Amino acid sequence: MSQTLDPAALDQLFREARTYNGWQDRPVPDTKLQELYDLLKYGPTSANSSPARFVFIRTAEGKAKLKPALSEGNIAKTMTAPVTVIVAHDPAFYEQLPKLFPHTDARSWFAENPALAEVTAFRNGTLQGAYLILAARAVGLDAGAMSGFDNAKVDAAFFAESGWKSNFLVNLGHGDPASLFPRSPRLSFDEAVRLE
Amino acid sequence: MSQTLDPAALDQLFREARTYNGWQDRPVPDTKLQELYDLLKYGPTSANSSPARFVFIRTAEGKAKLKPALSEGNIAKTMTAPVTVIVAHDPAFYEQLPKLFPHTDARSWFAENPALAEVTAFRNGTLQGAYLILAARAVGLDAGAMSGFDNAKVDAAFFAESGWKSNFLVNLGHGDPASLFPRSPRLSFDEAVRLE
């Protein structure tokens, strides 16, 4: 039976984790990205549809391709991050369902209902982006998510052939504590929760 | 400096965690829901906007109010779950920004741009729903997320006054291992990831 994780793990995942604006000069090896994916892939999605697709940008060429799409305030930290992830989704994700959800014909639920396919891809791709953020923290990385960029420019630069759609970006690395602002307040339980 | 969490924690959060279809007869006290919220609230959102709102349904009356909105296949497990969460968001979330993001006028970014407000509420409310799933696992609960229900019916039954919008549902409790199906396959690294 599961117990509450130890306090240090809860600190690392939630209570002490922060969105960094600057990075230490420490690389993130590709083996770490594989480790990260091999955790996040287990996060639950609707009908196991797993619509998210991830581009891990580590090279100067890749960063240069991304740069023109970034909001001014996101350029410096993204250019210096060891890895920037484009969290995207495949609008035709349902073509994988015969493999991912083999016990029934789930493909037809989405192939025949474009509106359902679109909201499912966005909702579940976003869930998987959150799993990536928390899996990164679980493997000892810091993560900084951003939606301040031009999605259409990213899609044109990276997904002209695949047809994938960008959702948001996540910088990965080892954060520089000097780059942190004080933590902003959160809504209280009574403000955000109703009990029924 | 953060290290990778121990293997048992990674199992509990990702590798061995499952979406249960049946529940043990063990209650989830309200103190546990407070503990859960006090972790998930720290998950990052755009401009700390924290648009998600959560309804924790524990009573027979609350479950009865939810039941007519559920897809047939989701009724039995939801009626027997100790807690069912409506993961929702407040479309007017930006009214909280003077408190949540006090160092600049972020309210106006959204108040003057309804399309940006809508996508921000949905994206970030969904991220917070994923934080809830993983925080539940971190405090030793099992979680079962569902989008098989009628959002408009839930909104009419629960949010006629608040104007909140339902996103998805999550059952919480201690899962019954006998209710599990075998785990479905996931996409491989090479199928879901591109390196640049």
Side-chain angles (χ1 to χ4, degrees), chain A residues 17 19 28 36-37 40 45 50 115 142 144 149 162 167 171 180 185 189:
Chain A
T19 294
V28 174
L36 174 62
Y37 180 73
L40 81 88
T45 55
S50 310
D142 294 303
F149 68 98
S162 67
N167 185 349
N171 287 326
L180 285 177
F189 187 86

Side-chain angles (χ1 to χ4, degrees), chain A residues 83-87 129 132-133 136 142-146 168-172:
Chain A
V83 180
T84 302
V85 188
I86 305 173
V87 178
L132 174 129
I133 292 170
D142 294 303
M146 302 171 287
F168 63 102
L169 305 176
V170 183
N171 287 326
L172 297 176

Side-chain angles (χ1 to χ4, degrees), chain A residues 133-181:
Chain A
I133 292 170
L134 287 170
R137 293 168 171 183
V139 300
L141 295 172
D142 294 303
M146 302 171 287
S147 50
F149 68 98
D150 184 324
N151 291 71
K153 282 187 185 170
V154 168
D155 295 352
F158 288 89
F159 304 136
E161 284 183 36
S162 67
W164 297 355
K165 296 289 180 193
S166 60
N167 185 349
F168 63 102
L169 305 176
V170 183
N171 287 326
L172 297 176
H174 298 90
D176 175 4
S179 74
L180 285 177
F181 303 114

